[in-house]
Amino acid sequence: MGSISLMSRDVISTSSSLDSNEILPISYCNVNSWSGSLEIGVVDCDPLHFDFPPCASKIQTGSWIMSGTSVFKNGVCLVEGYGMDLDKLNQDDRIGLMRTSEGDLIFYINGESQGVGAEDLPCVVYAVVDLYGKCVQVSITSPVYREHNNDDCLSGSSVLAIDNDILNVTLGGDLSELSMSSSNSLDIRMDMNVSLNLPEETSRQDRLKFHDRCGSLVKLSNGNRSAERRRPLDEFNNGVVMTHRPLRDSELFEIRIDRLVDKWSGSIEMGITTHNPNTLVFPATMTNMRSGTIMMSGCGILTNGKGTRREYGDFNLDELSEGDRVGMMRKSDGNLHYFINGLDQGIAAQRVPTIVWGVIDLYGMTIKVSIVERDEREEQNLMTRKNTKGQLVVALEPQPVHDYYDRLTFHPNCGTHAQVINNGRTARRPNAADDFNNGVVLTTRPLKAGELFEVRLDRVVTKWAGSIEIGVTTHSPMELEFPFTMTNVRSGTWMMTGSGIMHNGTIILEQYGINLDRLQVGDRVGVIRKENGLLHFFVNGIDQGSAASNVPEKIYGVIGNNKYYF
């Protein structure tokens, strides 16, 4: 790597790609007139053929950028609270980075490794420096060699220094004015007629983090600011995490969805509880809690495991994407508000107790989240993302929902007393008080191997004996002559009814699991066909064990009676 080149006003890049284990350090000098400072990272595209945005951290593809104390991937914050704050560096401080031979990206400040900032980088990357705010001039000097006595880099790795020389700033100058000296220094004159009213850094002494005690499958990292569910393709629950202290009045507890898996139904659930994490026996899912707990699940609110609001806010948590943010706040008047990408969804609950802990359930598709704090630039990113998503939704609105998400939905062909609504995500019996059968609904597509088909009971009538039945069938919804109840079907059908299992209308297990007739509003029931052909049912996330074997590969999920939401 022999030189650097200016690519977009104040963004510069190396002219050749970085070698593995090659360190790129920068020495630093500042201008007190500006807020913010340089950004540094790598991109996987040759800068000569890349259209750079005004800010390196907003590069949307193939980029890994450190800015302040955050690391951004493709314009979305990947890690918060990482390393020393670049905005607080002083003149002659040195900043560097290295892509290791294992594909890790490590940043260095004054020669000290800040740890792994990103993983799985491609083999060919180019270093990028954004002369943002205080930083206005960099230069490449001759390579030097030094020994490293830590595990983050190899001994004898080459060090290529970029030195920030004497500041050369002209008020009102042309941003694009550039000169390259024979010593490879880069002089950039920047327009200073800009006012940046960035907020002062909030206190980091007692900022929220996750409590050490958590669900059995949770792995905490990033100073307990990130939480991840282990074995995400095998397990969909046991991912409950709580804040390390109670929430204060009007304190925003906000997380970012870092990683999703396209396998399970359902996704992140968020709420508050009066239970202390030091003494709580953590449940498989927080919607199992029967006291002191309010959770948002999907687009509804559950209080102590029972639905209290079926349609809350403008968003469905099950439809959020990686990078989206979910927050909540207990205000001083006792009202609980949720926030999606910074937008207040209104009052979710009232008269909330004073002492409550924040709760996140890494359920279903959501496998990793991080606690975040917002600044002005991130606010702008969220608004941009919201506007982009709004345009995308309008463009895709005419398409079937299952084509877009590939998620399980109910097929519109259903029993004569059933009705499918909410874009195929909800099924109900509108005249439940007058008739107790003909409520069969099937999924629009066959279940994938290992895919959980799960529903939540949203409404139950107490007039009739019996309740929900769930299972699988080889009959497609386009071909099936819908019966009064699926337990009447005499071929290709396995159903859980009450506490037993029926195959083609005949009982094969009498005392299998929890009695479905005893389920209440807010309870969940699901079914999985595993790759080995075994059929398992789940009640509130708890595996009831093997119910049948040698189940065919192409099967549809089936529900009979009541109202369900999934």
Side-chain angles (χ1 to χ4, degrees):
M1 182 178 57
S3 63
I4 56 178
S5 56
L6 181 74
M7 302 312 303
S8 175
R9 294 196 174 184
D10 53 354
V11 178
I12 59 174
S13 169
T14 55
S15 59
S16 60
S17 61
L18 295 176
D19 295 331
S20 294
N21 302 312
E22 178 180 17
I23 300 179
L24 176 73
I26 297 174
S27 65
Y28 179 80
C29 191
N30 69 325
V31 180
N32 293 328
S33 302
W34 292 82
S35 297
S37 187
L38 92 166
E39 300 176 340
I40 181 173
V42 296
V43 294
D44 66 358
C45 180
D46 188 336
L48 293 176
H49 308 290
F50 198 83
D51 185 15
F52 278 76
C55 176
S57 58
K58 294 183 179 179
I59 299 174
Q60 298 297 307
T61 57
S63 67
W64 296 262
I65 306 294
M66 182 176 178
S67 174
T69 58
S70 299
V71 178
F72 291 80
K73 178 181 178 181
N74 300 335
V76 177
C77 188
L78 179 67
V79 180
E80 266 199 340
Y82 170 82
M84 295 178 60
D85 192 343
L86 297 188
D87 296 345
K88 293 185 175 181
L89 295 181
N90 298 313
Q91 184 165 329
D92 296 328
D93 281 339
R94 299 175 69 85
I95 312 99
L97 60 82
M98 178 176 68
R99 180 205 176 275
T100 70
S101 55
E102 291 80 19
D104 294 338
L105 180 62
I106 299 173
F107 292 90
Y108 293 81
I109 296 180
N110 292 323
E112 295 185 7
S113 170
Q114 305 299 294
V116 176
E119 301 174 340
D120 300 324
L121 267 68
C123 294
V124 178
V125 291
Y126 297 79
V128 175
V129 177
D130 187 346
L131 305 180
Y132 178 81
K134 303 173 185 177
C135 182
V136 294
Q137 179 176 323
V138 295
S139 62
I140 293 181
T141 61
S142 300
V144 295
Y145 295 89
R146 65 184 179 191
E147 295 296 320
H148 299 278
N149 296 317
N150 57 59
D151 295 333
D152 291 331
C153 54
L154 301 180
S155 178
S157 297
S158 63
V159 178
L160 183 57
I162 298 180
D163 292 327
N164 190 341
D165 297 329
I166 298 173
L167 294 173
N168 188 358
V169 178
T170 303
L171 292 178
D174 186 351
L175 276 170
S176 62
E177 188 174 349
L178 169 71
S179 65
M180 189 71 92
S181 70
S182 59
S183 62
N184 285 332
S185 65
L186 184 64
D187 300 325
I188 302 177
R189 294 171 174 83
M190 303 180 64
D191 189 348
M192 301 296 290
N193 293 330
V194 180
S195 175
L196 293 180
N197 296 317
L198 296 179
E200 295 182 2
E201 183 182 16
T202 58
S203 173
R204 301 165 68 93
Q205 297 298 320
D206 195 30
R207 64 180 186 169
L208 287 169
K209 59 183 179 180
F210 292 122
H211 198 281
D212 288 330
R213 294 193 72 247
C214 51
S216 60
L217 292 182
V218 173
K219 173 186 175 183
L220 299 177
S221 60
N222 188 28
N224 283 21
R225 298 271 290 179
S226 297
E228 182 174 1
R229 191 179 81 241
R230 296 184 177 95
R231 295 160 47 204
L233 298 179
D234 300 324
E235 301 286 345
F236 56 87
N237 52 23
N238 291 299
V240 175
V241 288
M242 295 174 59
T243 56
H244 77 294
R245 61 167 173 78
L247 303 179
R248 302 187 178 102
D249 283 349
S250 300
E251 178 180 26
L252 177 66
F253 170 45
E254 186 175 40
I255 60 91
R256 180 188 63 242
I257 299 176
D258 292 334
R259 194 175 305 162
L260 297 171
V261 61
D262 185 18
K263 180 175 182 180
W264 311 106
S265 298
S267 191
I268 187 171
E269 298 174 340
M270 184 181 200
I272 54 96
T273 184
T274 59
H275 296 278
N276 190 319
N278 286 305
T279 56
L280 176 66
V281 178
F282 280 80
T285 173
M286 281 301 290
T287 52
N288 288 352
M289 296 294 294
R290 294 298 183 254
S291 64
T293 303
I294 301 172
M295 299 293 294
M296 182 175 180
S297 176
C299 59
I301 303 297
L302 285 83
T303 302
N304 301 331
K306 296 183 178 181
T308 51
R309 294 192 63 175
R310 291 184 290 114
E311 299 292 337
Y312 167 74
D314 298 325
F315 295 85
N316 188 329
L317 298 189
D318 296 345
E319 297 176 358
L320 296 183
S321 304
E322 292 180 357
D324 283 333
R325 296 184 175 215
V326 186
M328 66 180 182
M329 178 187 297
R330 181 204 178 275
K331 298 196 174 183
S332 56
D333 57 7
N335 291 337
L336 180 67
H337 289 240
Y338 284 87
F339 297 79
I340 309 296
N341 288 333
L343 300 177
D344 189 344
Q345 302 300 295
I347 298 174
Q350 297 177 310
R351 297 184 294 278
V352 175
T354 303
I355 300 179
V356 292
W357 283 261
V359 184
I360 296 294
D361 196 338
L362 300 173
Y363 183 81
M365 293 182 290
T366 302
I367 62 174
K368 185 176 182 181
V369 301
S370 294
I371 300 176
V372 293
E373 294 166 338
R374 190 180 296 123
D375 59 27
E376 286 189 6
R377 285 195 290 178
E378 183 61 20
E379 281 279 6
Q380 186 60 46
N381 289 340
L382 289 172
M383 292 303 296
T384 301
R385 186 186 303 133
K386 174 183 177 293
N387 292 337
T388 302
K389 284 189 175 183
Q391 297 167 6
L392 184 64
V393 169
V394 171
L396 293 175
E397 199 169 17
Q399 300 181 6
V401 172
H402 60 273
D403 288 345
Y404 180 64
Y405 290 112
D406 193 32
R407 295 180 183 174
L408 288 170
T409 55
F410 291 121
H411 198 281
N413 286 352
C414 55
T416 56
H417 291 160
Q419 183 182 34
V420 174
I421 59 174
N422 190 26
N423 290 322
R425 300 285 286 179
T426 301
R428 66 180 180 180
R429 285 200 339 266
N431 301 312
D434 301 326
D435 195 276
F436 59 86
N437 52 23
N438 290 294
V440 174
V441 286
L442 275 69
T443 56
T444 54
R445 62 167 174 79
L447 305 182
K448 301 173 185 176
E451 179 180 28
L452 174 68
F453 167 50
E454 184 181 59
V455 298
R456 183 182 67 231
L457 277 68
D458 284 348
R459 186 180 301 169
V460 175
V461 293
T462 58
K463 180 177 180 179
W464 311 108
S467 185
I468 187 172
E469 298 172 342
I470 183 173
V472 297
T473 183
T474 58
H475 301 281
S476 81
M478 296 297 294
E479 302 167 350
L480 179 67
E481 293 184 9
F482 282 84
F484 289 153
T485 172
M486 282 301 290
T487 53
N488 289 349
V489 178
R490 294 297 183 257
S491 64
T493 302
W494 293 257
M495 297 295 296
M496 182 175 179
T497 175
S499 59
I501 302 297
M502 299 185 71
H503 177 216
N504 298 337
T506 301
I507 295 177
I508 58 175
L509 286 174
E510 289 189 356
Q511 298 297 324
Y512 166 70
I514 294 176
N515 194 329
L516 300 188
D517 296 345
R518 298 176 182 172
L519 298 185
Q520 303 294 323
V521 171
D523 285 333
R524 296 173 181 256
V525 58
V527 61
I528 287 178
R529 179 201 175 273
K530 298 197 173 184
E531 294 183 357
N532 58 8
L534 295 179
L535 192 68
H536 286 239
F537 290 88
F538 293 78
V539 177
N540 289 326
I542 299 175
D543 191 344
Q544 304 298 293
S546 177
S549 58
N550 299 317
V551 176
E553 183 174 350
K554 188 176 181 180
I555 51 172
Y556 295 81
V558 184
I559 295 292
N561 301 330
N562 282 322
K563 181 188 174 188
Y564 327 101
Y565 192 88
F566 78 115

